[in-house]
Structures are given as C-alpha cells and as structure tokens.
Amino acid sequence: MPRERIGSVGVDSGTMMLGDPCYISDDKRLHSNKGWTKFCEEILFTKQFDSMRYTQIGRGTAVVTETGGGDGEYPVYITRNREGRVKSLTVVFLDEEE
C-alpha cells in the first residue's frame, strides 16, 4: 500500500524524540524549563549521541536522533498493511535530492 501523509513534526533543537509520552510524563525534571534543559543535556551529550547521532532513553522508553536538516518542520507518513493497520511511520528529514 502507498504511504500517506498524516501531518508534520516541528523541530527546534535539531533532534527528534519518538516514544510513548506516558513513560516520561512522570519525570519531574520535565515539569520546569530548567529540568527540561537538564533532561535534554543528558540525552544529547552522551558518548553514543556524539558518535552515532542517535540514542535510546531508558530501556526502550524512547529514541532520539538528529534530524539531518536541523530545525524545521518535517513531513510524517504512515504505511498500512493489507488489513489497514499502521505498519510503519516515517519522518522525512531530507528528501532524495538533499
């Protein structure tokens, strides 16, 4: 089945996080600007992120990756299986020409 555009995601840090928000919503650090900054620093300044440009939070709570294109708005697509269930989600950071 062809992919269908379902929206876009805005990025203002050059990185994007994908995960279920219920796993991080109880993290008290995220309830203040200072705490959020510290949380981001703990993710973005790890050895793995520095070398691989992605990292995982916790045991599969979320993944964080650089966007490749920096800040901006990026299209989001899904692909469905034969039964119409969502099979995959794709965020396009760079198009084929970039």
Side-chain angles (χ1 to χ4, degrees), residues 50-69:
D50 285 344
S51 63
M52 304 297 289
R53 308 315 299 162
Y54 69 88
T55 193
Q56 181 172 305
I57 300 173
R59 294 186 172 155
T61 300
V63 293
V64 179
T65 184
E66 71 174 343
T67 62

Side-chain angles (χ1 to χ4, degrees), residues 41-51 53-55:
E41 288 171 352
E42 289 172 4
I43 293 168
L44 301 180
F45 299 111
T46 64
K47 288 182 183 178
Q48 180 183 358
F49 196 85
D50 285 344
S51 63
R53 308 315 299 162
Y54 69 88
T55 193

Side-chain angles (χ1 to χ4, degrees), residues 1-84:
M1 297 189 96
R3 70 182 187 175
E4 61 186 273
R5 185 169 177 167
I6 61 168
S8 61
V9 62
V11 173
D12 194 30
S13 64
T15 58
M16 193 191 87
M17 181 170 74
L18 176 66
D20 187 332
C22 75
Y23 289 114
I24 63 168
S25 64
D26 289 337
D27 190 323
K28 300 297 182 209
R29 294 176 298 174
L30 308 181
H31 296 223
S32 71
N33 286 337
K34 185 177 179 182
W36 177 252
T37 299
K38 183 173 178 159
F39 177 78
C40 289
E41 288 171 352
E42 289 172 4
I43 293 168
L44 301 180
F45 299 111
T46 64
K47 288 182 183 178
Q48 180 183 358
F49 196 85
D50 285 344
S51 63
M52 304 297 289
R53 308 315 299 162
Y54 69 88
T55 193
Q56 181 172 305
I57 300 173
R59 294 186 172 155
T61 300
V63 293
V64 179
T65 184
E66 71 174 343
T67 62
D71 298 346
E73 189 168 326
Y74 298 98
V76 179
Y77 300 88
I78 58 170
T79 304
R80 298 181 184 274
N81 67 10
R82 288 187 176 124
E83 291 81 36

